[in-house]
Amino acid sequence: GEGEAGGGGGGKSVDVAKRDSAVEKARERQRELEEKQKQREGWFDGSKINTSVYVKGLPADATASELETFFAKCGVIKLDEWNEPRIKIYTDSETGKPKGDGLVTYLKAPSVDLACQILDGAQFRPGSHELDVSAAKFEMKGGTYSKKKARGPGKAATVAGKAMDAKLKKKIFEKQEKKALDWGGDDGWSRAVNQGD
């Protein structure tokens, strides 16, 4: 009978370990949910993984389409809620003319390091200035992180603070994930190199 009692005691410590493990898993899930909620609300957390690069030295007539083609050499460009590439060319607030710098957001963080290694110092076009490409640094202004304002007609719903249709968001995400899986770095550069052999 004593052996059974001892066995029962051993079983209890396993139960405690199981309980602790379950509690830890529940806490982890809660943290993940809170993170997702913050992302949805547009909060910026400095510890978040950065997927954007800051670019200086762009020609004045550079277009977002050109930037997408140029920076896609290092990974899939993230799409915004309107299915447009997340690329911003900064303009002078007074003249409205491009300042020669911009922001490109990738779908995956490793693309940032790759872009900094490969595209920093590269020419945007033959004969143009060398680009300065670095990991983007974000600063909170006035204690709150301001969301990008909605643009164009038919986008008033987001201005009113209503969340984008979840199905649409999922569809865009799935399209990007597929593109990320399909992207193998074959951008024409590797073909040109291989043909030289």
Side-chain angles (χ1 to χ4, degrees):
E2 282 180 43
E4 285 174 29
K12 266 192 177 159
S13 66
V14 170
D15 289 347
V16 169
K18 274 185 181 173
R19 187 195 67 204
D20 289 349
S21 173
V23 167
E24 188 50 45
K25 280 181 184 167
R27 281 190 188 134
E28 188 60 37
R29 271 198 301 272
Q30 185 61 37
R31 276 195 293 268
E32 285 173 14
L33 286 171
E34 285 170 3
E35 278 301 307
K36 284 180 182 173
Q37 184 61 35
K38 277 183 184 177
Q39 286 174 349
R40 277 198 295 272
E41 291 170 0
W43 284 94
F44 179 74
D45 175 2
S47 66
K48 277 222 187 359
I49 295 166
N50 176 37
T51 59
S52 299
V53 289
Y54 176 67
V55 193
K56 287 193 291 193
L58 292 169
D61 61 344
T63 66
S65 174
E66 275 183 298
L67 259 75
E68 181 184 13
T69 303
F70 188 80
F71 282 90
K73 293 169 183 162
C74 295
V76 177
I77 308 293
K78 188 171 185 175
L79 300 176
D80 65 14
E81 48 264 52
W82 302 293
N83 223 9
E84 295 290 322
R86 290 189 68 163
I87 294 171
K88 181 170 179 65
I89 296 173
Y90 294 108
T91 54
D92 185 292
S93 56
E94 288 176 20
T95 65
K97 290 184 176 150
K99 298 195 304 183
D101 62 342
L103 189 75
V104 178
T105 303
Y106 284 104
L107 186 61
K108 306 276 182 192
S111 299
V112 172
D113 294 332
L114 198 58
C116 292
Q117 288 170 26
I118 296 173
L119 303 177
D120 184 44
Q123 290 182 330
F124 185 66
R125 294 182 190 136
S128 67
H129 291 295
E130 287 184 359
L131 293 179
D132 180 347
V133 179
S134 59
K137 292 175 179 64
F138 296 95
E139 291 174 11
M140 286 177 64
K141 291 181 180 174
T144 57
Y145 178 70
S146 59
K147 274 187 179 176
K148 194 163 80 171
K149 289 184 182 74
R151 52 179 203 267
K155 293 171 184 141
T158 52
V159 176
K162 292 186 182 124
M164 184 188 12
D165 180 51
K167 282 183 188 171
L168 178 64
K169 228 179 209 176
K170 188 174 184 227
K171 195 172 168 184
I172 289 172
F173 178 75
E174 285 171 354
K175 181 179 172 184
Q176 286 187 296
E177 280 297 309
K178 184 185 182 321
K179 197 171 177 183
L181 290 171
D182 291 346
W183 185 84
D186 186 17
D187 48 36
W189 278 15
S190 48
R191 274 198 304 273
V193 169
N194 293 336
Q195 284 168 357
D197 294 342

